[in-house]
Amino acid sequence: MSQQRPAPTDCPLRVTVPAGTAAGQALRDAGAPTSGPDALVVARDDGGVLRDLTWAPGTDTDVDGVPASSEDGRSVIRHSCAHVLAQAVQQLFPEATLGIGPPVTDGFYYDFDVARPFTQDDLASLEKAMRRILKAGQRFSRRVVESVDAARDELRGEPYKLELVDLKGDPTDEWDTSEVMEVGAGELTVYDNVHAHTGETVWSDLCRGPHVPTTKHIPAFRLLRTAAAYWRGSERNPQLQRIYGTAWESQEALDAHLEWLAEAERRDHRRLGAELDLFSFPEEIGSGLAVFHPRGGVVRRVMEDYSRRRHEEAGYEFVNSPHITKAALFETSGHLEWYADGMYPPMHLDAELAEDGTVRKPGQDYYLKPMNCPFHNLIYRSRGRSYRELPLRLFEFGSVYRYEKSGVVHGLTRARGFTQDDAHIYCAPEQLAGELKSLLTFVLDLLRDYGLDDFYLELSTRNEAKYVGSDELWAEATETLRRVATDSGLELVPDPGGAAFYGPKISVQARDALGRTWQMSTIQLDYGMPERFDLEYTASDGSKQRPVKIHRALFGSIERFFGVLLEHYAGAFPAWLAPVQAVGIPIADEHVDHLQQVAKALRSRGVRVEVDASDERMQKKIRTHTTQKVPFLLLAGGQDVGAGAVSFRFRDGSQVNGVGVDQAVDAVVSWIARRENASPTADDLPLGTS
RNA sequence: GCCGCCUUAGCUCAGUCGGACAGAGCGGCUCACUCGUAAUGAGCAGGUCGGGGGUUCGAUUCCCCCAGGCGGCUCCA
C-alpha cells in the first residue's frame, strides 16, 4: 500500500580534474553519461561545494560527478528550471520584477511582483514559453560581477534583487540569503542565459548557482500552482505572486511524482471522511469545528480505548476538567499574556447595572480553554503532595479551542476545536531524566501499535522573543531533553526558536505510507508553570520542593491523529480500528438467516458486523463494501449454507471459500484481537477449506 | 489575518456570453429480478443555483458585503 516518491539514485563518479580543465570535460573523458536520467548536471569539488560543469579548478582537484537523478542533481535542475520560469514570466509579462526562486522539496518556486496575479491560463502559456526556452538549449553562463556598484547598476530595474545585494553586505540581518541559493557567498555572480547559436545573452539573473549546463538538461517539468507569498517571509512586507513547479531528471520520474501527488489527493482525509461517512464540518457550526458521525465515532472510540488502557498500565491517572474558566486561571498560567491572540475572545458574564446605568457589579471574563495544563495544576494543588506520589501522571482527553486564523484551518489536521490526549507529569528533579526516557519509549511503542513506525525527533529550543523563565532553567531543560533524544538513537533535527513560551520540547515526527512527515507526539519540559502555580511537594527530609512538570501529548490531537491514520491507511483502517469489521453478503435471500447466525456469533465476541440483506445483487454488495474498505466480507450461498461454512473475500480481492463457521469466527476474532495493522488477505489468514 | 480561486440536488460535476419548466451520474426511495466474488432493470422523489444587499424590465449568471471551502504566505501553546 505504501507509495513513495521516485527514489533518488547515487552513482558517484570521481575523477581528478587537472588544473585549468573544466570539470565537465574531465568527467566526460572518464566516461560520465551526458544524457539520460543519470547525466551529470554539476560537479561536487573536494570541499563538497557544487560547481558548474564549466568550472575549472586552479589546481588539480578531485571532483564527483553529480547525476541528474541524485538529490543534489534534482535540486540543481529545479533551480535552473526556476530560472527558465522567470525568463518566461518576463517574456510574457515584461513589467514583472523578480523576487527569489529557490529549489524546495520536490520542486521549486519563483516569486514575482506583477500587476495582476497569475491565472491558471497564465500557467499554461508560461509552460509553453518555458518549453520553447528548453528546446532552444540556452547555455547557463556564470559571470562574476566586478563590484557591488556594478551589480547595483545592472539590477536597477529589479528592486527586490537590489535589496538582496544590499542585504548581503549586512551580516546583522537575520535573513539568510544563502539558504535561498540566490546570491553568492564570497562574490556576486550573475547567470546569463546565452542563445545556443548566436551567443547572445537572452536573459540574466543574479544568482549563486550552480546550474545545469544548458536548458536541454531540464528533461521534465510541470508548473503546479500559484499563490501569494510575503517578500522575505514577513507579513509586514508586500506580497509577491509565487508560482510553484516541479522538475525531474526524466519524464518517468515526473510522471511518478505526479502520480504520487494524485495518490495523496485520493487519500486526503477530508475526501475520505465524506466518502466513508466518518465526519463532517457543518457550515452551521463554524470553521474548523468537526462532528464525528457514527462510523468515525467508533474508530475514535477504539483509538481512545486502547490508548486509555495503555496509559493505565503505564501508571497514569485519569482526570477531567471543564471547557471554560475565569480569566484568572490563564492570567496565572501566562496564556493571556502570551497567547491571547490564539484564544477565543472571552464571554463577559454576571455584570449587573444599577438603575442609572452605572456598573453595580463588574462581572467576569470566562475563556474557552486553549490548553488543559492549568487545570491539571489546580488538581495537583488541591491538596498537599508527598514525594512518595511522584511522578504524578495526570491524563485527560481534554477538548481545547484555539482561534486559528481563518487561512490556516485545514480539515482535521488544523482545527479550531480538538481533543488532546494530554498528560502532565509532575516529578522530582532527580526523576526527570528517567521519566523522560521511559516516556519516549512509551510514546514510540504506542505509535507503533497504531501502525506508524518510521520516526525522527525534533528538538525545539527557546524562542528568544517569547519565553518565560530563567536562562539556567532553560539551558538545563534543553540539555536534558537533548540527552534523552540522543540516547533514543533516532535522528534528531534541531528546531531553533520552536519552543512554547514555558519550555523546550521534543516532538516525534512520523512518516506515513506516502513518506510525508507529521508532527505527532510532543514532550515538553516546564519549570515555569510549577513556579507560577506555586506547586510543591514535601520531600523525604520534610522540606518543601518544587516539582518539574512534563507536558506530553501522544496523538497531539485525536482529530489530527485520526486524519493522519486515515491518510496513512488510505481509508483502509486496520481491522481492529475499522468502523465495520465484517459484512455478511448473502448470494440470495434464502442465505440471509445463515449469515445472521454467523453475525450473531461474531457480535457476541465483540466484532462490529453487519449483514447486507438489501435486494441488490451480490456483486453490487461486494463492490459497495469493498469501496467502504471493510476488511472481512463473508459470503454465503447454497454451498456454504449446506456445509455450515462461509466464504471470505478480502479488500485485495483474494478469497477463501467454504470455511467452517466456527473456524471463520475464530480467525476474524483473533485477527482483530492481535491488532494486526495490515489488511487481511487470503494468504495471511490461517484458514483451511473445510 | 493576507493574496488568488471556488460554492448549482446528500456526493461528484454539467449549464446559463443577463431571458423559456436548471441537467447528468452516483446515492436515496418504490417495484420487478433471487443472482457465487467490484455496479440488474424500470420508475419516483430531491435544487429559495451558499446567505444578504445592489444594478436591471428581468440575476443562478454582473457588482458589493458576509459565511464556508481550496491553494499558498504568515502563524501554530
Side-chain angles (χ1 to χ4, degrees):
Chain A
M1 66 175 273
S2 125
Q3 169 150 15
Q4 301 284 338
R5 299 171 177 87
T9 61
D10 228 347
C11 28
L13 174 70
R14 167 162 293 218
V15 299
T16 302
V17 182
T21 303
Q25 188 59 51
L27 285 160
R28 270 193 301 280
D29 291 347
T34 55
S35 63
D38 297 327
L40 301 189
V41 287
V42 291
R44 187 185 295 104
D45 72 14
D46 50 5
V49 179
L50 296 181
R51 305 281 192 173
D52 291 336
L53 289 179
T54 52
W55 170 73
T59 57
D60 292 5
T61 306
D62 289 344
V63 307
D64 291 316
V66 176
S69 53
S70 66
E71 261 322 304
D72 280 340
R74 285 174 178 169
S75 279
V76 170
I77 289 173
R78 289 163 188 163
H79 188 193
S80 299
C81 195
H83 275 233
V84 172
L85 166 63
Q87 183 181 340
V89 165
Q90 293 197 316
Q91 245 172 44
L92 269 53
F93 307 91
E95 82 291 355
T97 58
L98 305 175
I100 60 169
V104 292
T105 306
D106 290 338
F108 62 89
Y109 66 80
Y110 213 118
D111 290 343
F112 306 94
D113 193 353
V114 279
R116 66 160 176 86
F118 298 109
T119 64
Q120 276 304 309
D121 292 344
D122 292 337
L123 288 194
S125 4
L126 284 168
E127 280 198 355
K128 225 165 140 187
M130 289 171 71
R131 286 188 211 297
R132 274 199 303 272
I133 295 169
L134 297 196
K135 222 168 156 187
Q138 294 176 5
R139 197 151 49 77
F140 281 89
S141 173
R142 178 188 171 90
R143 167 163 59 87
V144 177
V145 184
E146 311 85 85
S147 66
V148 171
D149 283 340
R152 283 207 187 95
D153 187 50
E154 184 167 345
L155 294 168
R156 60 190 176 279
E158 295 287 354
Y160 300 98
K161 294 288 183 188
L162 272 177
E163 200 176 321
L164 292 180
V165 170
D166 292 336
L167 278 172
K168 192 179 133 354
D170 179 5
T172 64
D173 194 276
E174 79 284 5
W175 177 253
D176 181 2
T177 52
S178 69
E179 188 176 299
V180 295
M181 283 182 75
E182 276 299 317
V183 187
E187 52 196 8
L188 287 174
T189 54
V190 164
Y191 274 79
D192 295 320
N193 280 65
V194 176
H195 192 284
H197 304 305
T198 66
E200 173 198 359
T201 294
V202 188
W203 188 79
S204 303
D205 193 7
L206 178 74
C207 181
R208 181 178 71 170
H211 281 285
V212 298
T214 77
T215 55
K216 293 256 192 222
H217 291 78
I218 303 170
F221 78 96
R222 178 75 66 86
L223 296 184
L224 295 175
R225 58 177 59 99
T226 62
Y230 296 108
W231 168 238
R232 293 174 57 210
S234 166
E235 58 188 329
R236 294 186 302 274
N237 289 337
Q239 276 196 330
L240 305 181
Q241 294 303 315
R242 175 170 297 180
I243 296 178
Y244 280 94
T246 188
W248 296 80
E249 70 273 11
S250 65
Q251 187 63 42
E252 292 69 40
L254 173 64
D255 290 345
H257 177 66
L258 294 176
E259 177 48 38
W260 181 85
L261 288 177
E263 175 63 18
E265 202 174 311
R266 283 191 289 273
R267 288 175 181 235
D268 189 312
H269 73 275
R270 295 163 299 186
R271 169 200 287 257
L272 290 171
E275 283 174 3
L276 303 178
D277 194 14
L278 301 173
F279 56 83
S280 59
F281 290 89
E283 199 176 317
E284 292 82 344
I285 302 179
S287 184
L289 299 167
V291 288
F292 279 75
H293 303 186
R295 292 195 169 193
V298 171
V299 177
R300 216 182 132 141
R301 201 205 75 226
V302 176
M303 281 171 55
E304 291 175 1
D305 282 351
Y306 180 65
S307 167
R308 246 185 220 112
R309 208 186 86 206
R310 291 294 307 270
H311 277 83
E312 267 163 0
E313 289 164 6
Y316 286 79
E317 300 176 271
F318 288 74
V319 298
N320 283 292
S321 60
H323 290 203
I324 63 172
T325 171
K326 290 192 286 193
L329 183 63
F330 291 128
E331 279 161 14
T332 305
S333 69
H335 285 92
L336 278 175
E337 186 181 349
W338 295 99
Y339 286 104
D341 283 353
M343 295 167 65
Y344 275 89
M347 303 165 241
H348 193 72
L349 299 182
D350 299 335
E352 284 176 22
L353 299 183
E355 297 275 312
D356 60 0
T358 58
V359 176
R360 198 170 62 75
K361 183 175 145 188
Q364 297 264 11
D365 280 346
Y366 279 78
Y367 282 89
L368 230 32
K369 69 172 167 181
M371 279 190 79
N372 302 301
C373 76
F375 297 84
H376 295 184
N377 292 342
L378 298 182
I379 294 169
Y380 181 97
R381 210 169 66 177
S382 63
R383 61 171 170 80
R385 297 289 174 183
S386 154
Y387 73 97
R388 296 175 196 276
E389 293 181 77
L390 305 185
L392 182 69
R393 306 183 184 94
L394 303 183
F395 182 101
E396 174 175 15
F397 282 113
S399 297
V400 296
Y401 298 89
R402 301 178 183 182
Y403 188 72
E404 301 286 358
K405 289 179 181 174
S406 63
V408 309
V409 170
H410 181 93
L412 291 176
T413 55
R414 198 68 190 278
R416 282 181 170 168
F418 55 94
T419 307
Q420 289 185 311
D421 58 330
D422 208 0
H424 296 100
I425 302 167
Y426 301 86
C427 60
E430 62 273 17
Q431 296 172 324
L432 189 58
E435 184 67 17
L436 284 171
K437 199 172 166 154
S438 64
L439 185 50
L440 187 58
T441 310
F442 174 68
V443 160
L444 294 176
D445 281 352
L446 197 42
L447 287 176
R448 284 190 189 99
D449 287 345
Y450 290 92
L452 298 171
D453 52 17
D454 188 359
F455 308 113
Y456 68 91
L457 303 179
E458 210 168 88
L459 179 64
S460 300
T461 47
R462 188 162 79 179
N463 180 339
E464 297 303 332
K466 222 181 196 180
Y467 74 93
V468 295
S470 74
D471 289 353
E472 302 81 68
L473 287 181
W474 271 88
E476 186 187 332
T478 307
E479 209 28 63
T480 308
L481 282 181
R482 189 191 312 279
R483 207 166 47 243
V484 170
T486 310
D487 289 350
S488 75
L490 291 171
E491 182 190 350
L492 181 63
V493 176
D495 172 31
F501 68 95
Y502 49 77
K505 74 173 176 203
I506 296 176
S507 54
V508 178
Q509 312 279 330
R511 289 188 188 86
D512 72 5
L514 288 190
R516 300 170 299 181
T517 64
W518 302 90
Q519 177 180 313
M520 305 272 54
S521 320
T522 59
I523 298 175
Q524 234 157 327
L525 257 188
D526 182 0
Y527 294 89
M529 244 7 113
E531 202 164 308
R532 285 173 165 266
F533 280 83
D534 196 24
L535 305 183
E536 297 181 328
Y537 63 92
T538 306
S540 55
D541 62 0
S543 65
K544 298 290 186 196
Q545 301 291 330
R546 181 87 70 214
V548 184
K549 184 177 182 185
I550 305 170
H551 301 241
R552 186 241 64 167
L554 201 151
F555 298 146
S557 110
I558 311 287
E559 288 79 357
R560 192 178 129 84
F561 191 70
F562 187 110
V564 170
L565 281 191
L566 187 54
E567 298 200 7
H568 177 63
Y569 289 115
F573 279 114
W576 67 284
L577 288 169
V580 178
Q581 297 169 312
V583 170
I585 298 180
I587 303 302
D589 281 351
E590 62 200 84
H591 310 123
V592 169
D593 283 348
H594 173 69
L595 282 172
Q596 294 290 13
Q597 293 307 311
V598 178
K600 196 175 163 194
L602 284 166
R603 209 170 285 125
S604 73
R605 295 179 65 183
V607 177
R608 296 183 289 275
V609 55
E610 296 171 0
V611 175
D612 187 344
S614 69
D615 54 6
E616 291 296 344
R617 294 177 72 216
M618 174 265 303
Q619 285 88 339
K620 177 63 178 293
K621 295 179 183 178
I622 288 172
R623 179 173 197 278
T624 302
H625 299 107
T626 304
T627 54
Q628 285 295 303
K629 324 264 190 193
V630 174
F632 298 101
L633 301 186
L634 305 175
L635 281 73
Q639 291 163 31
D640 293 294
V641 173
V646 291
S647 293
F648 278 80
R649 184 188 162 104
F650 303 98
R651 283 167 173 158
D652 66 346
S654 61
Q655 38 178 305
V656 182
N657 294 331
V659 180
V661 168
D662 290 346
Q663 193 198 358
V665 169
D666 284 345
V668 170
V669 167
S670 107
W671 181 277
I672 292 170
R674 291 197 306 275
R675 289 189 312 278
E676 296 271 3
N677 286 321
S679 275
T681 69
D683 288 340
D684 30 66
L685 204 69
L687 294 171
T689 307
S690 60

